[in-house]
Amino acid sequence: MLGRIRGTLAEKTPPFVLVDVMGVGYEIQLPMTSLYQLPDVGNEVIIFTHFVVREDAQLLFGFATKKERALFREVIKANGVGPKLALTILSGMSAQQFVQAVHDGDITSLVKLPGVGKKTAERLVVEMKDRLGNLDISASVTLDGNVNVDEQTTSIDTTESAKSEAISALVALGYSQVQATKMVKDVFQDSLSSEELIRASLRNIA
């Protein structure tokens, strides 16, 4: 199993990245909370991975820390929750927020995420409350060695490119084209990069 990848960040197209390891490019899908922590393209990254093999595909999911990966692995154990939905959940809220929502039985916050209906939210709370009790989810260093994610700067995309990339990323996370377009429109500012637009859009629905 592929547990960790270290290489050069070759491409970053939320929610996917391409990491070059000695000439081999690994396409990895990350939750947005981990993707925010990436350095600029061209820099070295270390990503903790979870490899999924299906009949029709081989998928590689990545995380900023081992703790985030551990949480992902617990989430996909829940009945009816696959890797894609788990990634969407961890894109819409941080690991700490998810653990708190489960602990508090906060169904309202969970059903705001695409693909999470009331029954799924209730099942997550019931099935995961005990399992998450011993899971230590706390702030850790980021993929590029920094601690404070919010202070990380990103390059400014052109206006239309930033908007389209943000919308495409939200659609990939499970939102409809109409929903994604509206979410980006509600928070759009010329100065925001695509990653900042995605982050603002997700925060706006929380």
Side-chain angles (χ1 to χ4, degrees), residues 172-193:
L173 290 173
Y175 294 95
S176 69
Q177 184 74 31
V178 173
Q179 287 176 314
T181 301
K182 184 179 186 303
M183 288 167 67
V184 172
K185 181 180 179 180
D186 288 345
V187 300
F188 180 75
Q189 295 180 34
D190 287 338
S191 60
L192 296 181
S193 69

Side-chain angles (χ1 to χ4, degrees), residues 52-71:
V52 174
V53 178
R54 301 190 323 214
E55 290 184 3
D56 59 343
Q58 296 185 25
L59 306 172
L60 196 57
F61 300 95
F63 306 89
T65 67
K66 289 182 179 179
K67 292 178 181 179
E68 291 177 352
R69 183 181 62 184
L71 177 59

